[in-house]
Amino acid sequence: MYLACNAVVTGDVILGRDVNLWYGAVVRGDVARITLADTVNIQDGAIVHCDFGVPQVVEPGVVVGHAAVLHGARVGAGTLVGIGAKLLSSSDIGRSA
């Protein structure tokens, strides 16, 4: 696991094995649980949040590019979320379960 010195993790957040949170990343589980599964990589300046009562699940092997915003419900295993991407409320992307 790598947590940069200025990464912020607050609220109801579960971090899997070998999660990487890079500089300026924010994972804010203040309104619902956020789960980052094994080997998730959240790059510099990315934000992970969700809606009230809608948990955010980021499945194994997901890479979230610099300054992306995840505000959805699920990002499927192995998905690459590009630099500066914005995932809107309750979005469900990537491989099916």
Side-chain angles (χ1 to χ4, degrees):
M1 179 177 298
Y2 178 75
L3 298 176
C5 60
N6 66 344
V8 176
V9 179
T10 187
D12 188 359
V13 176
I14 296 173
L15 302 177
R17 179 185 49 80
D18 296 328
V19 165
N20 292 296
L21 297 175
W22 291 91
Y23 299 93
V26 175
V27 182
R28 191 164 59 103
D30 56 339
V31 298
R33 174 172 284 168
I34 295 174
T35 303
L36 303 181
D38 296 346
T39 67
V40 167
N41 181 342
I42 307 292
Q43 295 179 357
D44 307 61
I47 299 170
V48 183
H49 193 237
C50 49
D51 288 325
F52 280 94
V54 181
Q56 169 80 273
V57 176
V58 181
E59 294 180 353
V62 168
V63 175
V64 178
H66 304 281
V69 177
L70 276 58
H71 202 278
R74 187 188 70 87
V75 180
T79 299
L80 169 62
V81 178
I83 292 173
K86 309 281 190 282
L87 302 184
L88 301 178
S89 294
S90 300
S91 60
D92 183 341
I93 68 164
R95 291 187 201 153
S96 297

